[in-house]
Amino acid sequence: MGLFDFLTGGSGPEKALKLKSKVTQKYGEPSTRQKALQQLGEMKYPEAVTVLLSRFTVTVDPLTTDADEKEHTFELIKHFGQDAVAPVSAFLKTSDQATSWALRILQELLSEDALMGVIADTLQHLSSRYTRDPEKKVVLLHHVLGKQDPRVAPAVLPFLEDMSDDVKIAAINVLGPLKYEPAREPLLQLLTNEDTARRVQTVALAALAESGFGVQGYQDKVQAALVEPYSLDKDGRVQRRP
């Protein structure tokens, strides 16, 4: 720390980190929180972006003030440009909160290809760790729905074994249209496992019908799991009747 830093209370990054308590202050004067946000927006350090992101993790009253402050925070972070990408990507990977805000920021700053790389990396990270709240996984999986990027299917496949039925369903919905061969057997296992929730089985049937996968090795079990409007055709594929 130089003499100037000593006289002014620390280096720029240290000043940014010290403002976190004000940014996440839920009670007291809103002006204190808003001033801290503005100060961070005027800094040029990645730590300032990290602290700004913490504003998305709390909700204050009234909700109109909360919404206005979060929109302002979004604009402040966006103005950091490419300097914000690394801290926002790290936040997306490590925080269980504010996933939608992080994605929204990255959409503004990255190309579609680069954004999909960040999301695929985050999904791979999440697939190997337990999270009590499945919302983050579901938000990310919904974001890649309909994407044809070759990184998506391998990153999504492990979520067929997630503890949350909502996560399983979101993953199935992504994988069905992609016709990703390694997903065939896990989908069939989900469909035919007696411990699988009925709503998950129904979505798995739809995914198998859309993918065109054969049910070889599972034909009898699949037949027993069929419900209207699904049936097996002569080639051993699930089909949906009109």
Side-chain angles (χ1 to χ4, degrees):
M1 180 183 295
L3 177 61
F4 181 77
D5 292 334
F6 177 78
L7 292 173
T8 56
S11 65
E14 289 172 338
K15 288 181 181 179
L17 295 172
K18 286 179 180 179
L19 288 171
K20 183 174 181 179
S21 60
K22 293 181 179 180
V23 166
T24 56
Q25 174 184 295
K26 297 180 67 172
Y27 308 105
E29 287 296 323
S31 58
T32 300
R33 190 173 54 246
Q34 292 161 7
K35 180 180 178 181
L37 291 172
Q38 193 61 41
Q39 287 176 314
L40 288 160
E42 293 168 0
M43 293 181 182
K44 301 300 178 185
Y45 309 101
E47 291 83 0
V49 175
T50 301
V51 178
L52 283 167
L53 286 163
S54 68
R55 177 61 187 86
F56 297 124
T57 67
V58 296
T59 301
V60 303
D61 291 323
L63 292 180
T64 51
T65 297
D66 186 70
D68 288 345
E69 286 184 14
K70 285 177 177 173
E71 284 294 336
H72 182 52
T73 302
F74 168 79
E75 293 296 332
L76 290 173
I77 295 174
K78 192 171 71 171
H79 286 150
F80 278 78
Q82 292 304 302
D83 290 338
V85 171
V88 176
S89 299
F91 177 86
L92 180 65
K93 181 179 286 188
T94 59
S95 175
D96 289 335
Q97 299 173 282
T99 302
S100 295
W101 281 106
L103 285 173
R104 184 180 165 194
I105 294 166
L106 290 173
Q107 280 182 291
E108 292 284 337
L109 299 177
L110 294 176
S111 66
E112 179 70 12
D113 181 71
L115 176 62
M116 293 307 299
V118 172
I119 295 174
D121 182 58
T122 303
L123 286 171
Q124 288 172 345
H125 172 75
L126 285 175
S127 67
S128 62
R129 63 188 286 265
Y130 169 76
T131 52
R132 185 173 60 181
D133 186 351
E135 181 182 1
K136 178 178 182 176
K137 296 175 182 177
V138 172
V139 169
L140 288 167
L141 290 167
H142 283 171
H143 192 85
V144 299
L145 183 64
K147 306 294 186 183
Q148 296 296 319
D149 190 290
R151 293 166 290 188
V152 168
V156 171
L157 183 61
F159 293 97
L160 294 180
E161 299 179 6
D162 197 85
M163 294 178 64
S164 165
D165 286 346
D166 288 338
V167 173
K168 287 190 185 84
I169 288 171
I172 293 168
N173 284 331
V174 172
L175 290 166
L178 296 179
K179 302 175 172 45
Y180 183 56
E181 178 61 32
R184 184 189 82 90
E185 190 149 343
L187 285 170
L188 288 167
Q189 289 173 348
L190 266 181
L191 173 61
T192 58
N193 191 322
E194 61 183 16
D195 294 328
T196 301
R198 193 62 196 165
R199 66 192 184 104
V200 177
Q201 289 178 316
T202 301
V203 178
L205 273 172
L208 286 164
E210 187 168 14
S211 68
F213 291 145
V215 301
Q216 294 82 1
Y218 293 84
Q219 189 151 350
D220 291 343
K221 290 183 178 181
V222 171
Q223 188 69 56
L226 291 172
V227 294
E228 289 292 340
Y230 298 99
S231 63
L232 281 180
D233 65 16
K234 60 183 177 58
D235 295 320
R237 292 183 172 85
V238 177
Q239 63 178 0
R240 181 187 178 101
R241 288 191 289 269

